[in-house]
C-alpha cells in the first residue's frame, strides 16, 4: 500500500509529504513552484468569476468561458505539473532541486493536457476516430498521471486504477467476467480515447467538480487559515470549553469540527488544530496516544461535516442528482450527533482519569451556560438572517436586482466588527510549557475575531438562504464570492485594525499582503493531490462506464454474503475501509461510491432493501473517511502521533475506538432514514434528533464502560440494548406486526388501487437475469395512483397482463422511469417470463415510537443502580 510514516518526522513534514509537496528548493526553482501555485489559484478565481463570460460577449473570444471542458484540461495540467515539481519521485530523490527527469515528466504531462486545448477544434471533428497522435498523447497522459498520483498520494490509488485499466484491456478474456458484464474487451485506441480524449474518463465529472468547486473551497479555507481565522477557531473553542473537565480535549473536538467544515484534508486538519490542542491535552494529564486519538477522531469527522465535507458534498450533487441544499440537510444530523457523542466520550475519559480543566481568568462558564450560548448563537444567526432578508426586501424597490446594497451592508458590518476587535488585545499563544495551562477569556476572544465569520456567513447565505426574489447561487459562485471577500479580509484587516489602534499601518499592510500570497500558495499546494486524484479516480469511473466492472464486485459480494443483508453491509463497509486507505477525502469518496454504492443498491434490492440513493452514498462515504484513522495506513493517526510523540499504531487503534460511534451511524440511517431528515416534518426532525442523540450517548457510554459510574459488563450490555431500542424501534414492531400487506396476481392490482395518491408501493419482480439467465428477484418502489393500480404501473413504464393468476411484465420502453433500473437487467424474451411476484403496501399498525417507553424505563433502572456508586460529580 503506502509507506508508513515515521514518528521521528514532524507533523509539518507529514503534511508536506501527504498534501502540499515535500520538495522546496531555495533557488529559482523554488520561486517557479511558488509562482505556479499563485498562477493556478488566480486562474481558478478567474474562471469562477463572470469575467470569462463578459470577455466572450464583448470581444467575441472565449478565454476559458466554457469551464465544463477547457478549464478541466488546464486544471489537470497545473496539478500534474506541480505534483512533478513539488513531490520527489522517490525517498532518495533530491528535495533541494528539481532533477532533469522531473523536468521531462513535467513537460510531457503538461503537454498531454494542453494538447486537448490547442487542438480542441480538430479533435471535435473526429469523435471516436482517433489518430496516431491522439493515442500517443493519451498514452503519455495516462502514464504521467499515474506517476503524479504515485509521487503525491502513494501506491493505493495507482494500484486500484491500474487494476481497472487492466480489466478494460483483458477483462474480455475471462469467460466468468464476460458472462457477468457481457463485455468482450477493448482495443488500445478505444480504451485510451475513452479515458483521455473524451469526458468519460480522466476528464469526467469528478475532475469537473474539482475544477469548478473543490478548488475554490480549498482556497477559501487556506486564505482563512493564513489570515488568522484558523487560530481564531481554536482559541474560541479553548475559551469556551477549556475550563471544563478535560477542557483541551473538548476544545480539540469543537475546533476540529469548525476547521473541518471548510477543510479538504483530515491530515491538514489534524496538524492545524492538533499543534495547539495535543500539547494542552498532555499537560492536563491525557496520555500521548489518547491525546492524539482525540484529535484524529475529531479531524476525520470534520470531513463528514457540512457545508464542504472534504469536497464530497459537491460530488454527491452530481452523483446523486439532488440539490446541494439537500445534501447539506441529509448530512447535518448525523454529523452533529457524532460530534456531540465525541464530546461525551472525551468527558467520560476525563471522568475515568479524574482530570480537570484549564485555569481561566474571569468567571468560569458552566455546562448550562455553554448550552445557552450555543442556543443563543443559533437564535442570533437566525435573527441576522431574517434581518438581512428584511433589509433586502425593503431596499429591493430601490436597488432592484443590484447587489450593491448587500455589499454596502457587509462592508459596514465588517468595519464595525474591526473597530470592536481593535479595542481588544491580540490573542497570544500559550507557549510556556512549565506554567499552568490557561484558557483565554471568551468575550474578547470571540468578539476579537468575529469578522472572520463574515465570509462564512456569505458562503452559507448564498448556498442556502432564499427569498421570493433571490435565488440561491451555485456552490461554485457562492464559493467565489466568499473567497473574494476572504481575500479582502486577508489584505485589509491588519492595516485597518492598526489604523484604529494608532499603530504602523504600512507594516501591517505588508503582513496582510503576505498572508494573501501565502494563502494562494497554500490553496494550490493543498489541491495538488486532490487534482491528480480526481483525474485518476476518473479512470475507475470510466472503466465502469466502458465495461460494467462494478457488476463483478457486486456478484462476488452477493455470493459471499449469501443474500444476508447485514453480512452484505459489513462486507461493503470493510471494503470501503480498505479502498479508502491512503486516499485523500475527495478521491476516497469517488472510489468507494463508484464501486460500492451500486453493490448496495443492486444486491440490496434483491433481498428487499430499498433505500434512497443519498443514504447509500453516505454509507460508503462514512466508511471511506474512517480509513484515515484505521491502522496500518491511517495517515491522520501518524500526523497526530508526530505531534504527541506517541505510538502511531496505538493512536490509530484508540482513534478508531472513539470512532466506533461514527461507524454505527451508517448502519442506522440505512434502516432508519429519519436520521437523514428524509421526508420528515420539522417537529418530527427535532424529536428524531433528541432521541438519536440520547441513543448515541448511551452507545458511547456502553463502549467506554462508564456512565454515571464505572459500568459492570451487564450494565454496558443493557445500555447497548437501550441504544438499539431507541435507534431501531421498528425492529421490535416488525416482530409484533407485519410491516407490509402483500398481494399477488389480480389482488395486487386491487391492493394498489386502494392506496392514496403518492403513497409508496413496493413491487417485487422476478425474472431471468439478462447476462446469466438465472432467475433473480429485485424490488422497486413506485408512487400510487388513487383508484387505479394499472395506471400507477403504466406511469413508470410497466405494462402487465394477467395469465394463470400471475402478472407478467413486458419490457419497459427506453426513457421511462424504471427502464434504467430493470429494463436492461432482465431477459424479457426468455422462456421464463418476467413477473410481478408480489406487491406490498405499508400495514396500518401502532406507532413504532411506543417502544421508546420500555427503553426509557430500562434507562431509569440503570441510573438508579449506578447512582449510589458515583464517586464524583457528573460534570
Amino acid at each position: 500500500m503506502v509507506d508508513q510514516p515515521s514518528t521521528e518526522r514532524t507533523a509539518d513534514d507529514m503534511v508536506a509529504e501527504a498534501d502540499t509537496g515535500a520538495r522546496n528548493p531555495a533557488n529559482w526553482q523554488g520561486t517557479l513552484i511558488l509562482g505556479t501555485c499563485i498562477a493556478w489559484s488566480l486562474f481558478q478565481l478567474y474562471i469562477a468569476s463572470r469575467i470569462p463570460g463578459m470577455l466572450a460577449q464583448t470581444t467575441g473570444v472565449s478565454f476559458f468561458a466554457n469551464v465544463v471542458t477547457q478549464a478541466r484540461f488546464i486544471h489537470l495540467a497545473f496539478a500534474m505539473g506541480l505534483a512533478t515539481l513539488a513531490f520527489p519521485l522517490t525517498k532518495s530523490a533530491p528535495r533541494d532541486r528539481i532533477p532533469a527527469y522531473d523536468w521531462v515528466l513535467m513537460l510531457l504531462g503538461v503537454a498531454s493536457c494542453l494538447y486537448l486545448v490547442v487542438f480542441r477544434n480538430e479533435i471535435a471533428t473526429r469523435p471516436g476516430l482517433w489518430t496516431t497522435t491522439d493515442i500517443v498523447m493519451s498514452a503519455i497522459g495516462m502514464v504521467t498521471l499515474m506517476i503524479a498520483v504515485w509521487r503525491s498520494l502513494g501506491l493505493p490509488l495507482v494500484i486500484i486504477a491500474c487494476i481497472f485499466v487492466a480489466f478494460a484491456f483483458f477483462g474480455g478474456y475471462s469467460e466468468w467476467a464476460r458472462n457477468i458484464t457481457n463485455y468482450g474487451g477493448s482495443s488500445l485506441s478505444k480504451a485510451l480515447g475513452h479515458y483521455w480524449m473524451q469526458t468519460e474518463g480522466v476528464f469526467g465529472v469528478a475532475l469537473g467538480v474539482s475544477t469548478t468547486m473543490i478548488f475554490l473551497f480549498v482556497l477559501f479555507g487556506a486564505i482563512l487559515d493564513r489570515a488568522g481565522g484558523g487560530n481564531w477557531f481554536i482559541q474560541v473553542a479553548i475559551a469556551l470549553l477549556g475550563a471544563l473537565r478535560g477542557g483541551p480535549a473538548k476544545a480539540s473536538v469543537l475546533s476540529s469540527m469548525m476547521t473541518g467544515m471548510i477543510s479538504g484534508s483530515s491530515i491538514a486538519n489534524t496538524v492545524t488544530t492538533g499543534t495547539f490542542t495535543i500539547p494542552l491535552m498532555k499537560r492536563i494529564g491525557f496520555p500521548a496516544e489518547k491525546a492524539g486519538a482525540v484529535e484524529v477522531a475529531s479531524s476525520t469527522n470534520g470531513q463528514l461535516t457540512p457545508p464542504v465535507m472534504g469536497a464530497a458534498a459537491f460530488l454527491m450533487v452530481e452523483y446523486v442528482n439532488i440539490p446541494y441544499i439537500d445534501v447539506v440537510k441529509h448530512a447535518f444530523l448525523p454529523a452533529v450527533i457524532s460530534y456531540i457523542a465525541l464530546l461525551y466520550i472525551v468527558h467520560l475519559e476525563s471522568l475515568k482519569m479524574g482530570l480537570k480543566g484549564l485555569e481561566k481568568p474571569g468567571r468560569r462558564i458552566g455546562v448550562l451556560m455553554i448550552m445557552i450560548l450555543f442556543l443563543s448563537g443559533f437564535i442570533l444567526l437566525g435573527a441576522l438572517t431574517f434581518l438581512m432578508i428584511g433589509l433586502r426586501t425593503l431596499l429591493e424597490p430601490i436597488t432592484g436586482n443590484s447587489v450593491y446594497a448587500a455589499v454596502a451592508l457587509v462592508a459596514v458590518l465588517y468595519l464595525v466588527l474591526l473597530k470592536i476587535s481593535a479595542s481588544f488585545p491580540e490573542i497570544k499563544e500559550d507557549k510556556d510549557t512549565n506554567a499552568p495551562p490557561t484558557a483565554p477569556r471568551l468575550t474578547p476572544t470571540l468578539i476579537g475575531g468575529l469578522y472572520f465569520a463574515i465570509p462564512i456567513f456569505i458562503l452559507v447565505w448564498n448556498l442556502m438562504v432564499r427569498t421570493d426574489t433571490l435565488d440561491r447561487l451555485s456552490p461554485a459562485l457562492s464559493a467565489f464570492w466568499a473567497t473574494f471577500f476572504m481575500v479582502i479580509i486577508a489584505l485589509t484587516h491588519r492595516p485597518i485594525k492598526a489604523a484604529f489602534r494608532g499603530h504602523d499601518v504600512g507594516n501591517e499592510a505588508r503582513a496582510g499582503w503576505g498572508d494573501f500570497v501565502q494563502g494562494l500558495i497554500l490553496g494550490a499546494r493543498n489541491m495538488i493531490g486532490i487534482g491528480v486524484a480526481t483525474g485518476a479516480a476518473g479512470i475507475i469511473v470510466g472503466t465502469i462506464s466502458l465495461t460494467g466492472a462494478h457488476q463483478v464486485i457486486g456478484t462476488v459480494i452477493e455470493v459471499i454474503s449469501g443474500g444476508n443483508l447485514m453480512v452484505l453491509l459489513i462486507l461493503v463497509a470493510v471494503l470501503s475501509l480498505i479502498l479508502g486507505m491512503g486516499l485523500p477525502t475527495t478521491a476516497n469518496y469517488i472510489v468507494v461510491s463508484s464501486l460500492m454504492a451500486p453493490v448496495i443498491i443492486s444486491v440490496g434490492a434483491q433481498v428487499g432493501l430499498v433505500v434512497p440513493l443519498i443514504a447509500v452514498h453516505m454509507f460508503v462515504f462514512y466508511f471511506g473517511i474512517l480509513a484515515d484513522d484505521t491502522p496500518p495506513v491511517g495517515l491522520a493517526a501518524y500526523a497526530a502521533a508526530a505531534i504527541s510523540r506517541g505510538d502511531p499504531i496505538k493512536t490509530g487503534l484508540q482513534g478508531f475506538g472513539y470512532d466506533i460511534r461514527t461507524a454505527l451511524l451508517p448502519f442506522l440511517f440505512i434502516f432508519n432514514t429519519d436520521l437523514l431528515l428524509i421526508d420528515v416534518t420539522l417537529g418530527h426532525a427535532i424529536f428524531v434528533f433528541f432521541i438519536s442523540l440520547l441513543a448515541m450517548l448511551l452507545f458511547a457510554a456502553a463502549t467506554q464502560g462508564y456512565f454515571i459510574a464505572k459500568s459492570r459488563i451487564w450494565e454496558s450490555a443493557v445500555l447497548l440494548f437501550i441504544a438499539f431500542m431507541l435507534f431501531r424501534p421498528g425492529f421490535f414492531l416488525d416482530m409484533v406486526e407485519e410491516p407490509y400487506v402483500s398481494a399477488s396476481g389480480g389482488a395486487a392490482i386491487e391492493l394498489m388501487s386502494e392506496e392514496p395518491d403518492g403513497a409508496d408501493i413496493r413491487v417485487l419482480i422476478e425474472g431471468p437475469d439478462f447476462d446469466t439467465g438465472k432467475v433473480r428477484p429485485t424490488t422497486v418502489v413506485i408512487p400510487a395512483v388513487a383508484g387505479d393500480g394499472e395506471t400507477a404501473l403504466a406511469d413508470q413504464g410497466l405494462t402487465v397482463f394477467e395469465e394463470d393468476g400471475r402478472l407478467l411484465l413486458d419490457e419497459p420502453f427506453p426513457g421511462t422511469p424504471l427502464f434504467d433500473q430493470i429494463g436492461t437487467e432482465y431477459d424479457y424474451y426468455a422462456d421464463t417470463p418476467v413477473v410481478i411476484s408480489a406487491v406490498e403496501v405499508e400495514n396500518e399498525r401502532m406507532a413504532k415510537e411506543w417502544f421508546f417507553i420500555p427503553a426509557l424505563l430500562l434507562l431509569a433502572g440503570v441510573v438508579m443502580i449506578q447512582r449510589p456508586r458515583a464517586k464524583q460529580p457528573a460534570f
Side-chain angles (χ1 to χ4, degrees), residues 270 301 493 568 570:
T270 298
N301 279 199
H493 78 107
L568 163 69
I570 291 172

Side-chain angles (χ1 to χ4, degrees), residues 1-6 9 14 17-18 91 149-160 267 577-584 627-628 630-636 638 649:
M1 299 296 284
V2 296
D3 297 322
Q4 297 181 1
S6 167
R9 289 178 289 176
M14 289 197 58
E17 292 181 10
K91 285 185 177 181
V149 172
W150 173 29
R151 68 202 307 160
S152 58
L153 299 173
L155 282 177
L157 186 55
V158 175
I159 293 173
I160 295 171
I267 301 171
L577 281 173
I578 295 172
L579 289 170
M581 288 183 178
L583 297 184
D628 274 346
T630 306
V633 178
L635 297 180
Y638 281 93
I649 299 297

Side-chain angles (χ1 to χ4, degrees), residues 790-828:
E790 291 186 355
T791 299
L793 293 170
D795 287 348
Q796 304 301 311
L798 303 180
T799 304
V800 298
F801 56 94
E802 189 172 355
E803 181 180 290
D804 298 330
R806 298 187 301 170
L807 293 178
L808 275 62
L809 189 64
D810 274 347
E811 181 179 10
F813 288 106
T816 54
L818 289 179
F819 176 77
D820 291 337
Q821 195 167 352
I822 63 171
T824 58
E825 299 296 321
Y826 289 105
D827 186 353
Y828 291 87

Side-chain angles (χ1 to χ4, degrees), residues 635-789:
L635 297 180
Y638 281 93
I643 300 172
S644 69
R645 300 301 177 187
D647 183 272
I649 299 297
K650 291 181 180 178
T651 300
L653 290 172
Q654 184 69 65
F656 188 76
Y658 291 154
D659 268 342
I660 288 177
R661 85 217 179 279
T662 305
L664 175 69
L665 281 170
F667 287 96
L668 296 174
F669 54 61
I670 282 288
F671 293 105
N672 183 7
T673 55
D674 288 352
L675 284 170
L676 298 180
L677 301 181
I678 296 176
D679 297 329
V680 297
T681 62
L682 177 60
H684 186 58
I686 295 173
F687 179 74
V688 168
F689 169 73
F690 283 107
I691 290 296
S692 301
L693 178 59
L694 176 60
M696 183 57 75
L697 295 181
L698 293 175
F699 179 81
T703 56
Q704 292 299 307
Y706 197 102
F707 185 37
I708 296 175
K710 185 177 180 180
S711 299
R712 299 185 178 103
I713 294 178
W714 69 267
E715 290 173 340
S716 294
V718 171
L719 289 175
L720 286 174
F721 180 69
I722 296 170
F724 180 74
M725 291 181 71
L726 295 176
F727 271 128
R728 281 277 289 137
F731 175 83
F732 300 96
L733 181 58
D734 291 346
M735 298 174 66
V736 178
E737 296 182 83
E738 289 293 331
Y740 301 106
V741 176
S742 179
S744 59
I749 302 296
E750 296 178 7
L751 180 63
M752 295 172 64
S753 302
E754 296 171 359
E755 290 298 295
D757 270 334
D760 286 342
I761 298 175
R762 291 166 54 92
V763 180
L764 281 65
I765 299 172
E766 287 185 356
D769 186 273
F770 183 82
D771 294 313
T772 65
K774 296 181 180 179
V775 175
R776 66 172 180 83
T778 194
T779 304
V780 297
V781 177
I782 66 171
V785 175
D788 196 340

